[in-house]
Amino acid sequence: MTGFNTNIYRFLIISSFITFIIVVLFGISQTLTYLNTDADRSSMLHLALNKEKLYVPKVTWKDTMNPGRSIEKQVMIDIEEDYLNAWYVSNIAYQDNKLEGVDNYYTTSALQNIHTIIQDNSSRDISIHSTTINHNLTLDFYSADGQLAIITDSDVKEYQYVYQEDNLLFEIEEKSDYQALMLLEDGYWRIRHLIKKENNRQDIHKKSNGYTKVIRYRIYVDNKEYQIKGINYYPQKTPWDMFGNDYDINLIKEDFDMIKAAGLNTIRIFVPYHAFGKEQVAIEQLKKLRQVLDEAKAHNLMAIVTLFDFYGDYSVLNWTLTHRHAEQIVSSLKDHKGILAWDIKNEPNLDFDSRGKENVVGWLKEMILQIKQYDPNHLITIGWSDVESSAILKEEVDIVSFHYYQDIDDFDDDFLELDIKIDKPLILQEFGLSSNWSFWNVFGATEKNQAEYHQQFQKKISEKKIHYLSWTLYDFKNVPSSVVGKLPWRKHKQKHFGFIDKHGKKKKSFKHISN
Amino acid sequence: MNRNRKHIVLVGFVLLFGIGIGIGSTFIIKVPEFSKATLKTTQKVFEAGDRIVLDFNLKNGVEALLFLKSSFGSTVISSTEGKFIIPNHFCKRRGVLSYILRQNSKILYKGSVIINAKSNSEIALQTYIGPPSIVAGGKDYTMHIVVPTDVYDNPLPDSTTVTFRHQFLDIEKEKDMYTKNLIAWKNIFSYNSSGKLQLSSEVSNTNSKESSVQIFPALPQDFQIFSSQEHKYADGNQIIEFTTEILKDEFDNLISDGTLVTFIIKNSKGILLQSRGTVVNGQATANMLHPDYKDSWEVKAFIHGVSESNTLHLSFKEVLKDFDVDISSDGRKIEVGPLLSYMKQLIPDGAVVKLEIYKQDRLIDTKVKTSLNGKVKFDLIEGFYSAGNYEFRVIALGVQKVLKNIIVQ
């Protein structure tokens, strides 16, 4: 027994000694590592700065001819980058009323100007959230020693949201010209002088090729009137993740065959913002989207493509990231014959409370202009989640979309009211009933109820000749938490909206998928 | 006539109908409430530092807000009487100051004023000159840029006259230029001689400080080289010195100190030797040790990629014809020397002597030693060199002696 105890003590002493040594060695090595990490030679030239792009307004160089010296491509890139950074850091400075980082991109004397304004603003609790949408640069002068450059930046579109004590005072969209004198100091191109100039030029709008158009209440595709009979589509196995790893064009083809055979002519699909690569759209994803659209076209189906799915940050400073996202997708598909409309965002009115209505609406408004600029050929709509919201931005969109999950008996009145208010084509973009009746959910609708619901709705639709897209083709086995949250009863409901059940069998409602 | 009358009646009806609709529609259109403000201030153009007050006709007593945006940033000010005093720091900044008036959450007025740089104020001259050094000859130039600013650091308007001056040796020049795109600038080309160029500028009686730009000599011309040595013997001990002539560019300027000159030496075996020197006061020198055997050299100097020299031919005489080699009776101790130089003096310490050991016509070892007091001793230790018949070759200062059939015990 004593021997056993001695062994325990021996073991404890030895192991605690070893642990102690390990801790000491680790401490010494950490200290040495820390002492060795600083003052990396490359940091003097700030060559290895983290270059993740945070501010990407559209920049075009109009002209670099100047009397001083011809400019090198690399210097142009440097000037452009630092000039944009100057805008970015000053935007942040005016938003937070803090000067951090600003001194990298403004010389000491120029910084003084920003400093006084910020002092004044912060003393009165004014905060300005702003962004620039585009910059058109002309090089006026570049010095022989490559240390001084003067650029003119014309037609700069700026958005500014002015808050005082969190109350929105102004929401301003302005176009100006600027001239900047920049100096190369410590490897940064810094603004030395900045002068705002007058700008009275008109916006130039791109002309549509007329492939899709709206004349009063009617939609025309290729000069023929088009009545939307459609469905919101996700493949059964990959709901809310259509273009992910399990993407399978063959399954999608089969689904399109079925949709066409059911007498429908339109699908609505969703492009997730993050999964598509945010401001740097992944080429493979874009290829998949094009493949789906090609396939839809081959099946004589038109697509309403909903962008910015799962996007939720409408803050002014980050708008430009979404603009680049839209630019890459939309401009590469601007001549696609399978697209009927770009739906900018699904149910953005649900974000009003959390993100501020003015931010969301401002973002949508500018996004409409952005998309029109890159693709004037397709229609634009916004997928509002209810009838009340759908009048927002009705002048800006081409067709007005709304979703209807309320009581079917109120539909006639709601629709009539909307029809009076809006003189553009109205799209019933989502409607449906979940057949989620089960032992645990006795108040849920049965498949029979669902069939009756669709039958009734189709009757109303054909009476009033409403453009419609129902929700949705399939029942789903899994619904991601990001869609309706984690609550199981919500998820459960979302799984049973389909016309086809999870075993691939057509439900009773399938008979009423179209009229 | 009848037809005319019909026309008149018709036109009358149409007119009546039109007026009827007009009146009808005016009843329908609501007269808008007082939703527009008017600006009482008529001045649109100001000078930096002026007091700017924007006075609007407004419903009194209700707070109105004015958003201001200038070159560097924006702000909001408020007033209840419609009289807005623009903050000082906005008044001082050149550029367009745009503003938007809002009252009761309605935008009532949008406009802008122009603020120019302050005239008749103290002027500051920001000067940028570069590159700071240029090459003589009139092809290279430096750029002199001046940004004249007012007392509030606003660049003066276009077409401000800037006088550029520069002085070089006994040349003094002056030229007026006009600002455009915020700056006035002038290129100053180098002169034929090297030296210091002084620059200055002036805007309406305000003078800048003096700045200077160095004019460096242009590229050196081809040149001559010389050698000097104590004697012509290949003793492996003396040093030969190579010098260039005074290096000059095409305009007779001394070449800059520090220019690297490389001397390349090719010996009779075709081996290349190299020595370098930098230019000091126009001349570069480089040294090289004498060979330790009879040899002839070709020497040529280069400034890489720029210019080259003539070729020097040098020959070195052998210092000795023969030397003694003593071998001990057991054949294991070999003493070379005394090695005598050209005046029969002992050769300076450090001359290389090589012993090649052959056994049955096969080289089995080479020993190299340097001389001490004119002598070199080799020991063949028993354990390494077994007894037998050997052949020794001794090589010193280019002379080789062959000793055959040496019996080592």
Side-chain angles (χ1 to χ4, degrees):
Chain A
M1 197 62 202
T2 335
F4 183 64
N5 266 343
T6 324
N7 278 340
I8 287 180
Y9 284 127
R10 204 174 275 162
F11 173 74
L12 279 178
I13 288 170
I14 291 173
S15 59
S16 59
F17 176 72
I18 290 173
T19 322
F20 175 73
I21 293 294
I22 289 173
V23 169
V24 168
L25 284 178
F26 182 74
I28 293 172
S29 74
Q30 284 299 303
T31 318
L32 286 177
T33 318
Y34 172 74
L35 291 175
N36 281 324
T37 44
D38 215 355
D40 183 5
R41 230 173 261 190
S42 66
S43 69
M44 282 198 296
L45 299 167
H46 67 273
L47 294 172
L49 282 186
N50 186 13
K51 295 270 178 171
E52 195 193 346
K53 293 210 163 171
L54 297 167
Y55 194 60
V56 282
K58 180 81 182 165
V59 180
T60 36
W61 279 92
K62 292 202 295 192
D63 193 6
T64 58
M65 287 287 284
N66 77 93
R69 154 184 172 173
S70 61
I71 195 165
E72 304 81 10
K73 183 92 187 148
Q74 184 57 45
V75 179
M76 259 169 77
I77 294 169
D78 292 346
I79 291 181
E80 175 185 321
E81 207 169 81
D82 287 355
Y83 179 68
L84 289 186
N85 284 340
W87 276 100
Y88 184 62
V89 292
S90 72
N91 285 344
I92 292 177
Y94 285 119
Q95 187 169 318
D96 303 338
N97 285 328
K98 279 180 193 153
L99 270 178
E100 262 135 329
V102 181
D103 55 345
N104 278 342
Y105 299 103
Y106 290 86
T107 65
T108 318
S109 1
L111 191 65
Q112 207 50 45
N113 298 307
I114 297 178
H115 183 62
T116 23
I117 298 176
I118 282 180
Q119 263 185 335
D120 180 28
N121 283 355
S122 100
S123 70
R124 289 184 288 134
D125 217 352
I126 291 170
S127 144
I128 297 167
H129 297 221
S130 56
T131 189
T132 54
I133 303 299
N134 59 316
H135 295 275
N136 301 298
L137 305 179
T138 313
L139 185 69
D140 296 329
F141 193 82
Y142 180 47
S143 73
D145 58 354
Q147 308 278 309
L148 180 148
I150 299 170
I151 53 173
T152 292
D153 187 3
S154 42
D155 298 329
V156 185
K157 195 170 173 190
E158 289 173 77
Y159 276 89
Q160 295 193 297
Y161 285 70
V162 185
Y163 294 88
Q164 187 165 31
E165 290 157 2
D166 295 331
N167 298 319
L168 180 70
L169 302 184
F170 284 94
E171 189 185 326
I172 290 150
E173 179 202 327
E174 202 188 18
K175 220 168 61 165
S176 335
D177 288 359
Y178 288 92
Q179 191 165 41
L181 190 153
M182 300 174 81
L183 299 176
L184 183 64
E185 290 181 351
D186 308 339
Y188 290 98
W189 281 96
R190 290 185 177 145
I191 293 182
R192 172 68 186 84
H193 291 292
L194 184 68
I195 292 169
K196 183 169 178 263
K197 302 204 156 181
E198 240 173 334
N199 176 308
N200 301 316
R201 283 182 289 273
Q202 290 295 309
D203 281 338
I204 302 161
H205 292 291
K206 288 251 175 79
K207 242 189 127 180
S208 164
N209 64 8
Y211 178 65
T212 60
K213 64 188 168 198
V214 163
I215 301 172
R216 286 185 57 76
Y217 300 96
R218 298 202 168 102
I219 300 172
Y220 293 84
V221 174
D222 220 358
N223 290 321
K224 284 188 232 57
E225 195 183 339
Y226 190 81
Q227 183 70 29
I228 298 173
K229 299 173 166 195
I231 193 154
N232 286 276
Y233 174 70
Y234 276 122
Q236 185 163 34
K237 281 188 185 156
T238 54
W240 289 275
D241 185 25
M242 184 163 169
F243 304 99
N245 292 334
D246 298 329
Y247 167 85
D248 185 350
I249 187 68
N250 292 320
L251 288 179
I252 293 172
K253 264 189 218 174
E254 286 169 21
D255 288 345
F256 284 177
D257 283 335
M258 183 162 53
I259 291 169
K260 191 67 204 172
L264 299 172
N265 62 9
T266 310
I267 52 164
R268 178 166 175 245
I269 54 175
F270 299 82
V271 172
Y273 177 64
H274 293 274
F276 258 63
K278 297 191 275 187
E279 79 279 3
Q280 190 65 55
V281 172
I283 293 174
E284 317 86 69
Q285 300 291 79
L286 205 51
K287 266 192 199 154
K288 290 178 191 169
L289 176 61
R290 183 181 284 277
Q291 201 175 30
V292 169
L293 291 169
D294 287 346
E295 209 49 62
K297 179 71 198 149
H299 284 78
N300 260 324
L301 293 168
M302 296 292 282
I304 294 174
V305 183
T306 301
L307 300 168
F308 296 104
D309 214 19
F310 297 115
Y311 170 73
D313 174 17
Y314 299 89
S315 63
V316 183
L317 200 52
N318 295 335
W319 280 12
T320 56
L321 297 172
T322 61
H323 294 165
R324 297 292 75 75
H325 179 82
E327 179 189 358
Q328 289 165 66
I329 293 176
V330 165
S331 62
S332 76
L333 294 167
K334 67 176 190 298
D335 296 319
H336 203 286
K337 303 279 187 214
I339 299 171
L340 175 65
W342 296 109
D343 176 8
I344 295 193
K345 175 99 180 91
N346 185 44
E347 310 191 341
N349 50 317
L350 300 184
D351 295 328
F352 282 178
D353 287 342
S354 57
R355 305 286 171 172
K357 186 177 174 182
E358 70 279 356
N359 277 335
V360 178
V361 173
W363 178 83
L364 287 166
K365 199 171 159 190
E366 177 55 31
M367 188 53 76
I368 293 171
L369 296 174
Q370 288 288 322
I371 292 179
K372 282 257 182 241
Q373 188 185 334
Y374 298 116
D375 175 8
N377 306 328
H378 297 117
L379 304 177
I380 288 182
T381 189
I382 298 167
W384 300 106
S385 83
D386 55 29
V387 179
E388 293 77 46
S389 305
S390 54
I392 301 170
L393 296 176
K394 64 179 166 136
E395 297 306 321
E396 282 79 3
V397 295
D398 298 310
I399 50 181
V400 172
S401 302
F402 64 99
H403 302 169
Y404 202 86
Y405 290 104
Q406 287 91 319
D407 195 339
I408 188 169
D409 297 332
D410 298 337
F411 180 76
D412 288 336
D413 294 339
D414 287 342
F415 186 75
L416 186 67
E417 200 180 315
L418 198 60
D419 207 13
I420 292 166
K421 232 181 344 186
I422 293 165
D423 51 1
K424 284 190 174 168
L426 295 172
I427 320 287
L428 174 56
Q429 204 188 28
E430 279 185 26
F431 68 98
L433 187 68
S434 177
S435 61
N436 60 343
W437 181 88
S438 71
F439 180 75
W440 304 105
N441 183 17
V442 287
F443 298 110
T446 60
E447 290 195 13
K448 198 175 156 216
N449 296 145
Q450 189 196 27
E452 282 164 5
Y453 170 90
H454 279 289
Q455 186 181 18
Q456 246 181 311
F457 234 120
Q458 286 298 346
K459 210 173 138 221
K460 290 175 191 292
I461 283 165
S462 59
E463 271 168 18
K464 298 192 171 75
K465 283 192 82 180
I466 299 171
H467 300 287
Y468 71 92
L469 295 106
S470 45
W471 185 271
T472 174
L473 186 61
Y474 283 110
D475 277 0
F476 304 124
K477 283 182 190 139
N478 294 308
V479 174
S481 303
S482 48
V483 181
V484 286
K486 286 202 175 97
L487 303 173
W489 52 90
R490 285 206 179 165
K491 276 195 180 182
H492 181 73
K493 186 179 177 193
Q494 195 53 248
K495 286 176 189 171
H496 295 87
F497 273 98
F499 288 96
I500 297 170
D501 71 13
K502 58 184 170 191
H503 306 296
K505 220 180 94 214
K506 287 173 184 168
K507 297 205 262 186
K508 291 193 181 88
S509 54
F510 194 85
K511 254 199 278 175
H512 309 292
I513 196 168
S514 73
N515 52 44
Chain B
M1 196 59 198
N2 206 0
R3 192 183 275 178
N4 271 350
R5 203 172 286 163
K6 264 187 187 170
H7 268 228
I8 291 165
V9 171
L10 204 69
V11 168
F13 267 117
V14 170
L15 269 178
L16 270 179
F17 190 63
I19 292 166
I21 285 181
I23 292 167
S25 54
T26 44
F27 280 122
I28 293 164
I29 296 168
K30 272 189 198 163
V31 181
E33 281 179 52
F34 181 64
S35 64
K36 275 238 157 112
T38 47
L39 180 63
K40 286 195 268 182
T41 315
T42 48
Q43 196 179 349
K44 288 258 174 209
V45 181
F46 295 86
E47 266 189 16
D50 286 359
R51 186 179 133 92
I52 304 175
V53 178
L54 293 173
D55 197 0
F56 294 93
N57 258 330
L58 269 184
K59 256 198 276 182
N60 274 348
V62 183
E63 189 188 45
L65 298 168
L66 190 69
F67 168 80
L68 297 173
K69 179 158 183 9
S70 140
S71 303
F72 277 97
S74 325
T75 194
V76 170
I77 51 177
S78 65
S79 158
T80 41
E81 290 97 45
K83 212 172 196 181
F84 292 91
I85 301 159
I86 309 298
N88 231 337
H89 50 276
F90 279 88
C91 300
K92 283 182 191 165
R93 197 58 29 224
R94 176 188 157 181
V96 172
L97 174 72
S98 53
Y99 55 84
I100 296 171
L101 178 71
R102 171 182 183 264
Q103 191 181 32
N104 292 334
S105 48
K106 268 186 201 142
I107 302 293
L108 301 185
Y109 199 93
K110 283 187 185 186
S112 63
V113 295
I114 294 167
I115 301 175
N116 289 326
K118 187 170 171 60
S119 57
N120 304 324
S121 86
E122 248 176 69
I123 290 170
L125 297 175
Q126 293 162 25
T127 308
Y128 304 97
I129 296 171
S133 62
I134 53 176
V135 170
K139 278 184 192 155
D140 203 3
Y141 63 90
T142 189
M143 192 181 263
H144 187 179
I145 302 172
V146 173
V147 190
T149 55
D150 68 5
V151 70
Y152 303 116
D153 195 37
N154 294 307
L156 295 184
D158 278 4
S159 304
T160 303
T161 313
V162 178
T163 310
F164 288 88
R165 297 202 180 91
H166 71 264
Q167 169 270 324
F168 183 71
L169 303 176
D170 46 5
I171 306 161
E172 275 178 40
K173 282 191 179 171
E174 145 171 351
K175 190 161 171 47
D176 283 353
M177 304 293 281
Y178 302 97
T179 56
K180 195 190 168 196
N181 291 323
L182 317 178
I183 58 165
W185 60 280
K186 189 175 181 323
N187 285 340
I188 293 139
F189 285 82
S190 64
Y191 291 92
N192 283 348
S193 30
S194 58
K196 217 171 209 180
L197 183 72
Q198 311 285 355
L199 306 130
S200 77
S201 53
E202 181 186 338
V203 177
S204 46
N205 298 326
T206 304
N207 287 286
S208 74
K209 286 186 202 163
E210 167 188 294
S211 316
S212 60
V213 166
Q214 191 71 39
I215 300 182
F216 282 123
L219 300 179
Q221 304 282 87
D222 283 355
F223 53 95
Q224 295 286 321
I225 53 169
F226 313 101
S227 69
S228 72
Q229 58 200 120
E230 303 306 324
H231 55 65
K232 293 214 174 266
Y233 291 103
D235 65 350
N237 184 45
Q238 286 304 321
I239 284 167
I240 178 166
E241 187 181 75
F242 301 111
T243 0
T244 64
E245 65 172 326
I246 292 183
L247 298 173
K248 287 185 173 170
D249 68 2
E250 59 179 311
F251 311 105
D252 249 12
N253 299 308
L254 282 192
I255 289 312
S256 313
D257 283 357
T259 305
L260 191 68
V261 181
T262 309
F263 294 84
I264 307 274
I265 300 153
K266 192 177 170 187
N267 72 9
S268 52
K269 289 179 191 162
I271 293 168
L272 294 179
L273 310 169
Q274 209 181 58
S275 182
R276 293 198 187 95
T278 51
V279 172
V280 177
N281 295 330
Q283 263 187 313
T285 53
N287 297 317
M288 185 58 96
L289 197 65
H290 278 213
D292 57 4
Y293 54 88
K294 184 181 169 182
D295 202 356
S296 62
W297 285 0
E298 282 175 19
V299 186
K300 194 167 182 167
F302 298 91
I303 297 171
H304 277 299
V306 179
S307 55
E308 61 181 51
S309 73
N310 60 327
T311 308
L312 281 185
H313 295 276
L314 299 170
S315 55
F316 295 92
K317 288 192 278 184
E318 55 195 3
V319 282
L320 47 73
K321 292 243 160 42
D322 199 6
F323 49 82
D324 293 337
V325 180
D326 276 349
I327 299 173
S328 63
S329 55
D330 62 355
R332 288 195 179 272
K333 286 194 176 2
I334 300 145
E335 193 179 293
V336 181
L339 298 166
L340 297 176
S341 192
Y342 56 96
M343 288 188 306
K344 300 243 162 90
Q345 79 273 39
L346 286 177
I347 207 133
D349 289 352
V352 176
V353 177
K354 206 154 83 177
L355 171 69
E356 289 176 353
I357 303 163
Y358 289 84
K359 193 174 185 184
Q360 292 162 355
D361 289 337
R362 219 157 54 80
L363 179 68
I364 57 167
D365 202 2
T366 306
K367 287 172 171 275
V368 180
K369 281 193 163 181
T370 51
S371 68
L372 183 66
N373 299 324
K375 286 190 176 175
V376 174
K377 285 172 187 166
F378 295 102
D379 258 349
L380 302 186
I381 299 164
E382 255 175 84
F384 287 96
Y385 303 94
S386 55
N389 194 348
Y390 283 84
E391 176 187 322
F392 297 138
R393 290 183 192 173
V394 183
I395 305 147
L397 299 155
V399 179
Q400 177 178 313
K401 289 192 85 166
V402 181
L403 305 159
K404 289 191 168 173
N405 296 324
I406 310 292
I407 309 295
V408 174
Q409 288 166 353

